[in-house]
Structure formats: structure tokens, C-alpha cells
Amino acid sequence: MDLAEFAERYDDELRTSDFADVDASANGLQVGPDHREVETVAFAVDAAEQTVRTAADRGADALVVHHGLSWGGIERVTGRQYDRIAPLIENDVALYVSHLPLDAHPELGNAAGLADLLGLEDREPFGEMGPEHVGQRGRAPDPIPTDRLRETLEAELDHFGQGLRVLDFGPEELEDVAIVTGSGVDWLDEAAEKGADALITGEGKQKAYHQAREAGLTVVLAGHYATETFGVQSLQSLADDWGLETTYIDAPTGL
């Protein structure tokens, strides 16, 4: 498959252009020529020296990630930036990035994957960000005791042995669950206003403790990396369907 077609297929599916004025990330093809043949594709959460070199070692023609290298422009390619970009160019590996478009996708996105894991029903977009939403909200088919939710997420998510944190200020059994993966506690007030029992996200901020307590809302901090593996794995499944050879690079941070 030609690289331009490869990137265009993902751009169309993820509505990449709709997020141009919303997302600081330079979504789409970040590194690569206009045209080249793509046969083998690597997938990872983060574009880092570790994942880039692993993709090259596995013979990948392209690396698809959630967190890319450009967040509003690159002024200098030196130091850490050079160490990340050089292996891409030296090994002729293209880099495709999808940040908020992948968070937002109703079927392929990170929040969608976590909602699938929990079996949430009656889902709707959640997490307003300009004209878009970057999460989902749904109802559990049966009320979930907080301890069982913790056990499920600790068993199913890749925490690198670090576990997760729960701010247990909501009801004993959780039914209405909001999800914004990664760094999502800024949507805590929206979750409370919409009547959610719990907000599941990746990482927290100091102020979230008191906000959750005052709102009577349970907040689950399940790990930034751990909550954002779903999207790139969904994109990998798409590439499999296109007949490409794929490989997944797991590089958990425990954060």
C-alpha cells in the first residue's frame, strides 16, 4: 500500500482534519516521504526513542502512535528530538500520529475500548473540547461495586506493576460511568453535572481530590499509558484488515 493512501485511510476514518483547530498535536503523517510502499506497520502508544528503534529493528515501514513528536511545531532537531527523529529517517520508517481524533472515535477510540471492556451500554459522547468530545459516558448493565471496578481494571490494564488509585467519594455501587483516558480530570465537573457516579481517567491532579469529594464522585486514576493502549490496537486491527503485516510495541510507563 502506498504511504499516502495509508495515511489518507486513517485520516478519513478518524476525521483528522476536524481536529486541526482543537488539538495541539500535529495529527496525521508527521515524518515520511510523500510516497513509499508500506508493507509492515508497527503500533505503539508513544513515539519515543525506544519505540522508534524497536519499530526499525522489526523492519517496519511505518510506526503508528497516539503521542507523536510535534505539539505545535518543532524549532530545532537537536538533543532528544534528534535522537527520536534520526532513527526514523535513517531506517526509512514513516510516523503516523493520532491524538485527540483517536481519543474521540466512537468505536476505535481509547474511551470506546475502555467502555467495551466494562460492557457499558447506552453510550454517548462525553468530554467536551470545543466542538468535539474526547470521551464516552455509559451505563453499566448491572451496578458495579467500587472494589470490583478496581479489581477489573487492575487485572485488565497494563500498569507495569504500579496499580491504580481510586478517589472513592461516589456511591457504593456505580452505574453511570464517564471516561476520558489519559489526562482527563479536567472533565470532573462535567461528569458531576451530568450525573455520573464515576469518572475513569489516566492520571490526576492535586485539586481533583477535593473536587471529587465535594461532588460525591468516584474518580479512578487507572494510568495514562494503561488507558490509552486501546486506540492504537484498534488501528492495528484495521491495518490487519487491509492486508498489512503488523506488530505491536508494548512500552508501559507505569504512569
Side-chain angles (χ1 to χ4, degrees):
M1 183 183 296
D2 184 76
L3 178 60
E5 179 185 354
F6 174 81
E8 184 178 1
R9 286 191 183 192
Y10 277 141
D11 285 344
D12 289 345
E13 177 63 43
L14 296 162
R15 297 190 300 113
T16 299
S17 61
D18 292 345
F19 289 82
D21 296 327
V22 178
D23 197 351
S25 172
N27 296 304
L29 187 65
Q30 280 194 3
V31 178
D34 291 333
H35 298 282
R36 67 152 300 176
E37 195 66 20
V38 175
E39 296 180 355
T40 302
V41 186
F43 294 80
V45 174
D46 304 308
E49 186 177 358
Q50 175 189 5
T51 54
V52 169
R53 291 195 179 279
T54 301
D57 290 344
R58 295 184 186 179
D61 303 307
L63 172 63
V64 175
V65 300
H66 181 50
H67 300 129
L69 300 176
S70 177
W71 302 86
I74 298 175
E75 293 185 0
R76 293 178 177 82
V77 182
T78 60
R80 186 182 300 111
Q81 283 286 58
Y82 180 86
D83 291 340
R84 292 175 174 179
I85 294 173
L88 292 169
I89 297 173
E90 290 167 357
N91 295 282
D92 204 15
V93 179
L95 178 67
Y96 183 91
V97 176
S98 186
H99 184 232
L100 293 186
L102 188 54
D103 285 322
H105 197 283
E107 288 89 31
L108 303 177
N110 290 311
L114 191 46
D116 288 342
L117 175 66
L118 298 176
L120 299 185
E121 302 173 345
D122 302 323
R123 299 185 205 173
E124 60 184 44
F126 174 81
E128 292 183 13
M129 192 165 190
E132 302 293 341
H133 291 80
V134 294
Q136 289 193 3
R137 176 172 158 241
R139 298 191 67 82
D142 298 299
I144 309 172
T146 303
D147 286 346
R148 194 174 80 204
L149 177 62
R150 178 200 290 268
E151 291 168 0
T152 298
L153 295 178
E154 285 188 333
E156 297 293 336
L157 300 184
D158 193 347
H159 295 286
F160 204 43
Q162 300 301 309
L164 53 79
R165 294 288 305 277
V166 178
L167 306 179
D168 187 6
F169 298 122
E172 292 184 5
E173 295 189 325
L174 310 171
E175 296 184 70
D176 192 314
V177 179
I179 302 171
V180 177
T181 62
S183 181
V185 292
D186 288 341
W187 286 274
L188 193 154
D189 286 340
E190 181 182 340
E193 290 167 4
K194 293 189 173 179
D197 300 320
L199 170 67
I200 301 175
T201 187
E203 61 184 82
K205 299 177 181 178
Q206 167 71 13
K207 65 180 182 180
Y209 176 92
H210 294 290
Q211 288 177 316
R213 184 170 184 168
E214 291 160 5
L217 182 76
T218 290
V219 176
V220 181
L221 307 176
H224 197 131
Y225 179 93
T227 59
E228 296 200 322
T229 60
F230 297 96
V232 288
Q233 290 175 350
S234 292
L235 296 185
Q236 181 179 7
S237 294
L238 267 187
D240 288 335
D241 293 341
W242 298 339
L244 298 172
E245 182 178 344
T246 68
T247 181
Y248 181 69
I249 302 170
D250 192 22
T253 64
L255 300 173

